Amino acid sequence: MNTMLFSPYTIRGLTLKNRIVMSPMCMYSCDTKDGAVRTWHKIHYPTRAVGQVGLIIVEATGVTPQGRISERDLGIWSDDHIAGLRELVGLVKEHGAAIGIQLAHAGRKSEVPGEIIAPSAIPFNESSRTPKEMTKADIEETVQAFQNGARRAKEAGFDVIEIHAAHGYLINEFLSPLSNRRQDEYGGSPENRYRFLGEVIDAVREVWDGPLFVRISASDYHPDGLTAKDYVPYAKRMKEQGVDLVDVSSGAVVPAAIDAYPGYQVPFAELIRREADIPTGAVGLITSGWQAEEILHNGRADLVFLARELLRNPYWPYAAARELGVKIEAPVQYERGWRF
C-alpha cells in the first residue's frame, strides 16, 4: 500500500525520505561537562539513522554555558564545539537520514551552578532557585547567543535548526503570562511577550537559510496560562518570519497535572496547522505505525515526532513498515532480519 508515513516530504529544499522524526531528547551524557560531543552521541544518533528515521534532531543544545539544563548537556556556545558536531552530522548522514539540532536556553530551569536568568524573578517551584530578571543587555546577549549557535550549526553541516520555545525553558518563559510579569516591551501583552522569540527568529534567519522549526508548548495546563488558541497568532507571526514548521508539544512552564494518553497532543498540532496555515509536527505518545499514518492521512500534522518509542526501539520504522505492509530499504547488513 501507499502510505504517507513512508512518503518523502520536502521543506525549504530539503527532502526527507519519510515523515518520521526523532524528537530532541536530552541525553545528559557529556561527562566532560564542556558541552563537547562524546562517544555516546556518536553511537546513539547514528543508530536511529540505521533504523531509517527520516530526520534526527539532536537534543537541546546550550547556546550559553549557563543556558544548559544540566552540566552534562551538549553545547554550541563555542567554536570549539563545531568539530565534534560536524563529525556527528557526518555519521548520521552516512546512513541516509537528515539531521537537525535544537538550540536551547534553559532559563530559570537551568540546574547549572551559578546565577540563572529569566524574564521575571519567579522560581519554577518552591524548591527551585529564584532567577535574576533579565536586563535588556541580557536579552540582547542571549539573542546574539542564539544567532552564534545557528552560525555554528551551519558550519557543522546540520540540515535543520529547531528553536526550543517549549517545556518551560527561557523562550517559553517569555511567552507565558505565568512566568513573564514584565512591564516593559518584553511583557504585559501577547505581542510584547512574543518579542523575545521574534528577535531570536530574526537573528537566526540572518545567518541560516535552511529549514527552521520552532518547538512550542501549546498548553500551559493552567487556567491563567496559554492555550493552543493563543498560539495561533504566534504561529502566524512565525510563518511571516520564515519559520517552516511548528513542532507542537505542551506543558512544563509551571508544575501541572497532565492527562496523558495516546496522541493527547495531536489536536494542538491539528488546530495550529489548520488555523495558522503552517506545517506542524505532532508529538506525544505516538507508538504505532497505524496511529502515525492516521495523523498524517487525516491532515492533522505533516510530520510525526517520536521520542520514548525511539528509545525503546531504535528500529521502530521497520516495525511500523511491517505493520502497514510496506517494504522499506534496509542496510544490506540487516536485510535478512527485516525480510518479509
Side-chain angles (χ1 to χ4, degrees):
M1 64 175 287
N2 294 322
T3 66
M4 290 195 69
L5 185 62
F6 290 101
S7 65
Y9 184 72
T10 299
I11 189 162
R12 197 178 283 264
L14 173 70
T15 299
L16 308 177
K17 65 183 178 182
N18 59 44
R19 311 291 184 98
I20 303 166
V21 182
M22 181 179 177
S23 285
M25 290 175 281
C26 292
M27 292 291 102
Y28 307 115
S29 295
C30 182
D31 57 311
T32 49
K33 299 184 180 181
D34 59 359
V37 169
R38 310 299 294 154
T39 301
W40 168 266
H41 305 99
K42 290 184 280 188
I43 296 172
H44 172 69
Y45 291 109
T47 297
R48 277 73 191 169
V50 172
Q52 302 304 304
V53 174
L55 170 63
I56 292 166
I57 303 182
V58 172
E59 62 205 76
T61 304
V63 297
T64 70
Q66 195 59 42
R68 290 173 291 172
I69 301 165
S70 82
E71 290 184 287
R72 297 172 69 93
D73 290 353
L74 286 179
I76 198 166
W77 66 81
S78 167
D79 287 352
D80 293 339
H81 294 130
I82 296 172
L85 292 169
R86 184 183 291 125
E87 182 183 4
L88 180 59
V89 166
L91 289 169
V92 167
K93 289 187 177 183
E94 180 180 338
H95 297 291
I99 182 168
I101 188 168
Q102 187 184 63
L103 303 183
H105 192 297
R108 70 180 184 177
K109 295 179 82 172
S110 172
E111 296 179 2
V112 176
E115 183 179 72
I116 56 175
I117 58 175
S120 300
I122 306 169
F124 174 67
N125 58 30
E126 293 180 357
S127 61
S128 300
R129 290 178 289 169
T130 299
K132 169 200 165 189
E133 180 172 308
M134 294 172 72
T135 65
K136 291 182 182 177
D138 293 330
I139 290 172
E140 291 173 2
E141 289 174 5
T142 307
V143 170
Q144 184 63 56
F146 273 95
Q147 184 181 73
N148 292 341
R151 173 184 59 79
R152 295 180 183 115
K154 183 175 182 177
E155 291 183 30
F158 284 96
D159 298 303
V160 172
I161 286 177
E162 177 168 279
I163 296 169
H164 199 353
H167 300 163
Y169 300 121
L170 184 64
I171 297 175
N172 192 186
E173 291 162 20
F174 270 93
L175 291 169
S176 176
L178 301 176
S179 46
N180 183 349
R181 306 283 176 78
R182 300 176 74 97
Q183 297 301 313
D184 62 3
E185 65 266 40
Y186 291 93
S189 70
E191 295 76 17
N192 284 356
R193 293 197 306 271
Y194 180 83
R195 190 181 306 276
F196 180 65
L197 173 55
E199 290 181 357
V200 169
I201 293 170
D202 286 343
V204 168
R205 267 284 170 235
E206 286 180 7
V207 298
W208 175 258
D209 56 4
L212 180 61
F213 297 0
V214 174
R215 172 163 271 199
I216 64 168
S217 280
S219 175
D220 291 342
Y221 299 104
H222 187 284
D224 299 321
L226 298 179
T227 68
K229 280 283 188 182
D230 295 314
Y231 271 95
V232 170
Y234 285 165
K236 289 179 178 178
R237 179 72 183 113
M238 291 179 210
K239 182 179 179 180
E240 292 171 357
Q241 290 184 270
V243 171
D244 299 294
L245 180 140
V246 180
D247 173 5
V248 187
S249 188
S250 66
V253 75
V254 293
I258 300 174
D259 182 18
Y261 51 86
Y264 71 103
Q265 297 174 126
V266 175
F268 301 149
E270 183 176 11
L271 184 147
I272 289 170
R273 184 180 190 267
R274 181 180 67 247
E275 297 196 11
D277 190 28
I278 189 171
T280 60
V283 309
L285 294 180
I286 299 170
T287 59
S288 75
W290 279 115
Q291 181 190 13
E293 182 66 19
E294 182 277 326
I295 291 166
L296 298 169
H297 194 83
N298 287 320
R300 307 179 74 190
D302 299 271
L303 299 174
V304 290
F305 285 61
L306 278 71
R308 290 176 179 84
E309 196 62 22
L310 284 171
L311 297 181
R312 289 186 282 265
N313 181 4
Y315 308 104
W316 183 88
Y318 293 118
R322 180 165 292 183
E323 182 183 349
L324 294 171
V326 176
K327 182 174 176 57
I328 62 171
E329 64 178 301
V332 64
Q333 299 92 333
Y334 288 8
E335 281 182 351
R336 285 174 293 178
W338 292 100
R339 190 174 297 148
F340 281 93

